[in-house]
Amino acid sequence: MTVWAPITEPLMRIPAVCKPWSWLLCACGCLFLAACAGKDVLHTPQANGGAGDTAGLPRRAVIGGMDHVLAGPVIVEYMDRQARELKRFADAVRVGDGIIVTLPAKALFKIEGTDLEPGSEALLRNITAVVNKYDETRLAVVGHTDNGGFADFDIHFSERRAKAVADDLVKLGVSRQRIRFMGMGFQSPVVGNDTAAGRARNRRIEIHIAPDRRLREEDLSPSS
């Protein structure tokens, strides 16, 4: 018996004079069910991880960085010093030849908002001071959500949040040419989404800091 049998078998017993209408009804029913199934596939939230399971979570990588290339002493020392200064007020980790600064969404926005809260300016001002001190780098501001929403919505929502942070960094003094932004939605969780604490960690803004061309050339020069 096929999945359509509950619909088609009763229709087969309808008198022949009525069958043109019955087949039309059957076709409409099939199209409706197919549309519903398609909608579920398109808008199913990400189901990531079981209870505390983070297997399969993507490895963190610096956007614009070169994680599979061994950085030389110039880049290592430059990025290490910058990371130490950022750690004074933010979660900053060295990844490959770059740095990822993670800012919890609750420190920047209201729960459902995309406009920065006034209290976030002191934090972003501190970040601006450091990245301008180490200006041989490029920045990518990346927005992330938990898996509680629909994919398309969360991509645009996280992008608006990333843009708000990028715009504020520019307003505070970071060169527009050094910075870009993007939204990842719920595609790159750092932990499972099975608990409230995990979902809160996944709602975040990351600032990826990578060496620019000048610093890479200096790192490769014989004198270094």
Side-chain angles (χ1 to χ4, degrees):
M1 179 180 290
T2 69
V3 69
W4 304 111
I7 296 175
T8 58
E9 287 185 359
L11 292 172
M12 293 298 291
R13 293 192 287 271
I14 296 175
V17 67
C18 300
K19 281 187 176 179
W21 295 104
S22 68
W23 289 119
L24 178 60
L25 178 62
C26 178
C28 291
C30 293
L31 288 172
F32 174 76
L33 291 173
C36 291
K39 183 177 180 182
D40 288 342
V41 171
L42 288 173
H43 297 288
T44 299
Q46 176 176 335
N48 183 75
D53 180 18
T54 59
L57 292 177
R59 185 179 63 84
R60 300 182 88 189
V62 176
I63 294 174
M66 298 176 66
D67 297 290
H68 301 293
V69 175
L70 185 64
V74 173
I75 286 179
V76 169
E77 195 271 340
Y78 191 90
M79 302 307 279
D80 281 353
R81 281 191 288 115
Q82 185 174 187
R84 283 195 296 271
E85 295 194 30
L86 288 165
K87 284 178 182 179
R88 295 174 184 170
F89 46 80
D91 175 12
V93 294
R94 287 276 284 109
V95 178
D97 64 355
I99 302 168
I100 298 178
V101 180
T102 302
L103 309 175
K106 65 181 180 180
L108 303 169
F109 307 96
K110 290 183 179 178
I111 293 177
E112 300 297 335
T114 58
D115 293 328
L116 287 167
E117 288 286 274
S120 67
E121 184 161 323
L123 174 59
L124 296 179
R125 192 177 295 279
N126 285 335
I127 291 173
T128 297
V130 174
V131 299
N132 278 352
K133 179 178 178 181
Y134 298 90
D135 63 352
E136 292 184 287
T137 55
R138 295 173 288 137
L139 283 68
V141 182
V142 188
H144 299 271
T145 69
D146 61 26
N147 71 339
F150 296 141
D152 289 346
F153 174 84
D154 280 351
I155 287 288
H156 294 300
F157 181 78
S158 59
E159 185 178 83
R160 290 197 300 271
R161 283 188 161 184
K163 183 180 185 302
V165 172
D167 287 346
D168 205 60
L169 290 173
V170 171
K171 184 184 75 174
L172 292 170
V174 178
S175 169
R176 175 72 71 179
Q177 283 66 46
R178 293 178 62 196
I179 194 166
R180 60 186 175 125
F181 64 88
M182 61 188 297
M184 294 293 291
F186 50 62
Q187 297 178 41
S188 298
V190 289
V191 295
N193 278 297
D194 50 297
T195 66
R199 291 189 293 275
R201 283 190 62 188
N202 288 328
R203 296 190 296 269
R204 67 198 190 279
I205 292 289
E206 292 180 347
I207 301 175
H208 293 226
I209 306 172
D212 66 9
R213 179 181 53 80
R214 295 172 300 165
L215 186 57
R216 293 195 190 282
E217 289 175 353
E218 184 180 351
D219 192 54
L220 293 171
S221 67
S223 61
S224 64

